[in-house]
Structures are given as structure tokens and as C-alpha cells.
């Protein structure tokens, strides 16, 4: 039986069953996390926000993560997990029809409570929440790549500019509670009877009246979001989501390991088709396989060629798996034998969560999947284009050495698994093409 994947259509019965299981898991997940989330904000906000503000922000954050977690089941059959909704730009509680800004550009507006199946959420001063989302995770238009290394666009700072949310602009979504009206603000009432939040039907016009800083409604580049403090002219209270927080929940889906395995399987199958004709000296070798490897090569060292793998259209990934491949292809590398021989040696165990039973294989090519980036004292960094092009930010140990030097053997696992839920699953995954 073909493993179930996040981007493949399933029979109706199986689809409904999967959706029900995901929904049940999500309810349990959000119920168990609500208290922790509330405590998190209570510690960060302290006396600056009321209990009502803390609760509203916690509910909003949980709902956004839940939306990303269940995206395929929320009337998005055949699509991938991880997308966050666009903001409400028209003050009706729902995501505005159509795109919110261009691809890879962020957007800000009111929190889309109706889209998320919530009642209107207000802070401790009766003000409706606002919301900003990074272009790297928004659902329309979707980014070309979405995975656990997707970059943020936001950094939460104090009024003096001190970073609160961590190093860099790694925040992918921000929820803002406007608080009391500042002396410089005039907040208009709701302009129609169908609006439950004060203000007009144009978020761009209303933004200065509700938020402390004049943020651009369509966000390009990185932006600092100010978290208010007493005795300043800033009283917005901010909650945020990083990509690590998001995928810390997404990887708990029961079908997440199967999705990662399918990316590797589909990529290996497609690469194998390109290598099939490589037989130097044979009339059957038309040079197409060698030309493909050369086109993707970052380096050719002796008989070995290595590099990054192209997008699904260039590689020839089948349609039902194309989007998932493109979302995760920055995690993938390949190494192959230019003469079509089995010049590579790899030792593979099943998974990090299984008893190790290593088997050594010889291969014409390998597909390598870097896994989650290392944290701690010697972290891997994948924020910039240069970092994402660097194989050492993905591969570890002897694999890093063998890949970069063009000599040596490889070692890894066949299947994705999480050995410790508190730690990133950074182990290298490998497919052998015999």
C-alpha cells in the first residue's frame, strides 16, 4: 500500500477518517497547551496586560497554530500543512478574498477570528486584536518553499529597541492587542452594522488609530514590532509565533514522518530515471543523464558529482508530490557517480527511534535529507540564501566531510523519526540508488 501523504488525495472514507483523527488530536493538543501558553504570556506581560488580554492572545495564538496544523483538512484537500491565514483587511472577521500582498511579502490587518472559527477576540480594554503574517508562511499567494527553516520577517522589541523575541527577525506571525487609546489616536466606531470591531472597512486607514507605530500594511523586508511598556507612548501588547514553535507542533501529526519519507522516495525515483541512461561507451547512452548531473553540479571531484536538487518540474516529480518536494527541496542534496558505476558506500539503519541494525550498501547515487538544524553551542544557520546553499548547514559528521571533499563513505537513516520530542530531529536521512 502506498503510504498516505499530506499532498496526495485519498479515498473519501480515508480522508474523512484522517480529518477526524487530526481534529481530535488538535483539540487535545490545544487544550493541553492553552494553560502553558497563557502562563507564557503572563510571565512576559506581567502587570502590563490584564488577564483578559492574556487569554485573548493565547486563544489567538493557539488558533493560528491549529489552522496550520489542520490546513489540509480545512477544505484544502491535497495541500500541505503549515500555512497561516492572511489578515482581515475589511473588518468583517474573515480573511479577505484573494491574495494579501505579493508572494513572499508579509501583510497586516485585523485578526481573522471568523476564519479561525472563534468569537470576536478583544483585549482587556475591549479592543479587537490585530495580526501580521510573514510572506514565508501565508496561504495566499503561497511561498515557493515552506518548511521548518522558513524565514520570519518580524522581531519583537521594547520601545527602546531591545530585542524581546530572540536573535534576528525569526518571528513568522504577530498578534497585537491595541490597549487604551493614546493621546495621538482617534478610534472611529464601526462604520456598518455588520462589523463587530470599531473602525472602517479599510485596515490600512485604521491602522494608525489602533496600533502604536505606523506599520506598512504590505510588508517587505524585516520589521520590528514594538511591545509596549509602562511610562512610554507604546502600549500594544504582543504575542508571536516563530517557525520553530510552529513546526514543533506540526511534526506531531501522525502522518508527518510519512510525508518526509515520501519526499525522499519521490526524489530518489525521479533522480534514478535521469541516471538510467548513463552507460559510457554504450550506444544506449545519449548523454542526457550526464548532462543532467552536470547541470545540477556544485562540484565534480574525480568520479563524484554533488549538488542541490532542482524543483519538481525540472526533476520530473509526479504532480501529486510536486508541491511537497518544492516545499522541502532546500533540505535535499545529491551525490552521484559520473560514470554510472556504484562507486558510493553508505551504511543505513532504519530510524533513530528503532534498534540500530546497520546495513552497508553500494550505490550509483545518494539522496541526502539534512533534517532539522542543530541548535545549542554549534548551531546550524539557514536564514540567508548563502546559508541555505551551504551543505555544511544541513549535513553532519562524516557525511559533511564526504560531501564537501568528494571522498569517503556516508552513514544515516532510512526513515524520519523523533528520538526526543524536546530536541530537533537533525539526523541525516539517505536514499540509496543502486
Amino acid at each position: 500500500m502506498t503510504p498516505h501523504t499530506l499532498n496526495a488525495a485519498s479515498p473519501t472514507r480515508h480522508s474523512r477518517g484522517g480529518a477526524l483523527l487530526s481534529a481530535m488530536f488538535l483539540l487535545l493538543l490545544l487544550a493541553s497547551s492553552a494553560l502553558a501558553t497563557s502562563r507564557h504570556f503572563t510571565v512576559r506581560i506581567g502587570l502590563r496586560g490584564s488577564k483578559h488580554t492574556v487569554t485573548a492572545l493565547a486563544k489567538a495564538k493557539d488558533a493560528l497554530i491549529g489552522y496550520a496544523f489542520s490546513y489540509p483538512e480545512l477544505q484544502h484537500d491535497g495541500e500541505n500543512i503549515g500555512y497561516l491565514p492572511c489578515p482581515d483587511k475589511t473588518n468583517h472577521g474573515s480573511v479577505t478574498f484573494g491574495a494579501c500582498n505579493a508572494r513572499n511579502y508579509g501583510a497586516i490587518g485585523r485578526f481573522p477570528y471568523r476564519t479561525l472559527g472563534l468569537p470576536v477576540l478583544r483585549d482587556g480594554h475591549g479592543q479587537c486584536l490585530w495580526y501580521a503574517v510573514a510572506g514565508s508562511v501565508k496561504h495566499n499567494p503561497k511561498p515557493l518553499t515552506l518548511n521548518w527553516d522558513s524565514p520570519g520577517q518580524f522581531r519583537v522589541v521594547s520601545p527602546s529597541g531591545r530585542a524581546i523575541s530572540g536573535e534576528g527577525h525569526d518571528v513568522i506571525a504577530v498578534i497585537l492587542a491595541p490597549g487604551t487609546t493614546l493621546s495621538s489616536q482617534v478610534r472611529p466606531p464601526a462604520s456598518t452594522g455588520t462589523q463587530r470591531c470599531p473602525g472602517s472597512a479599510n485596515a490600512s486607514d485604521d491602522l494608525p488609530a489602533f496600533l502604536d507605530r505606523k506599520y506598512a500594511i504590505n510588508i517587505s523586508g524585516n520589521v520590528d514590532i514594538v511591545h509596549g511598556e509602562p511610562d512610554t507612548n507604546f502600549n500594544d501588547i504582543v504575542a508571536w509565533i516563530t517557525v520553530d514553535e510552529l513546526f514543533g507542533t506540526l511534526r506531531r501529526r501522525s502522518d508527518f514522518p510519512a510525508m518526509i519519507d515520501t519526499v525522499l522516495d519521490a526524489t530518489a525515483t525521479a533522480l534514478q530515471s535521469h541516471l538510467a541512461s548513463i552507460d559510457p561507451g554504450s550506444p544506449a547512452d545519449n548523454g542526457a543523464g550526464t548532462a543532467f548531473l552536470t547541470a545540477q553540479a556544485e562540484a565534480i571531484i574525480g568520479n563524484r558529482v554533488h549538488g542541490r536538487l532542482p524543483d519538481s518540474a525540472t526533476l520530473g516529480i509526479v504532480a501529486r508530490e510536486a508541491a511537497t518536494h518544492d516545499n522541502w527541496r532546500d533540505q535535499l542534496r545529491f551525490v552521484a557517480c559520473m560514470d554510472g558505476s556504484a562507486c558510493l558506500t553508505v551504511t543505513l539503519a532504519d530510524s533513530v527511534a528503532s534498534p540500530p541494525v546497520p546495513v552497508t550498501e553500494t550505490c550509483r547515487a545518494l539522496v541526502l535529507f539534512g533534517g532539522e538544524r542543530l541548535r545549542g553551542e554549534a548551531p546550524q544557520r539557514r536564514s540567508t540564501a548563502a546559508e541555505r546553499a551551504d551543505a555544511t548547514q544541513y549535513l553532519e559528521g562524516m557525511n559533511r566531510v564526504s560531501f564537501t571533499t568528494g571522498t569517503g563513505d556516508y552513514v544515516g537513516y532510512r526513515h524520519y523519526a523523533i528520538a526526543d520530542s524536546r530536541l530537533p530531529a537533525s539526523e541525516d536521512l539517505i536514499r540509496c540508488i543502486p
Side-chain angles (χ1 to χ4, degrees), residues 62-86:
D62 282 343
L64 287 170
I65 293 176
Y67 180 92
F69 182 95
S70 295
Y71 192 80
E73 289 79 34
L74 296 172
Q75 300 179 5
H76 305 114
D77 289 344
E79 298 195 37
N80 288 277
I81 59 172
Y83 298 104
L84 292 177
C86 286

Side-chain angles (χ1 to χ4, degrees), residues 122-137:
R122 301 178 187 273
D123 65 17
H125 301 279
Q127 299 298 324
C128 294
L129 303 182
W130 286 66
Y131 161 65
V133 62
S136 60
V137 296

Side-chain angles (χ1 to χ4, degrees), residues 36-46 54 57-58 61 175 238-240:
T37 304
S38 179
R39 286 174 178 169
H40 168 78
F41 290 131
T42 300
V43 170
R44 289 189 177 274
I45 295 171
V54 171
L57 290 170
K61 178 173 177 175
I175 311 142
V238 181
W240 61 89

Side-chain angles (χ1 to χ4, degrees), residues 185-211:
Q185 294 174 327
V186 177
R187 295 179 176 173
S191 58
T192 70
T194 60
Q195 293 173 194
R196 300 190 63 189
C197 293
S200 72
N202 189 317
S204 180
D205 291 345
D206 290 350
L207 193 150
F210 290 89
L211 300 183

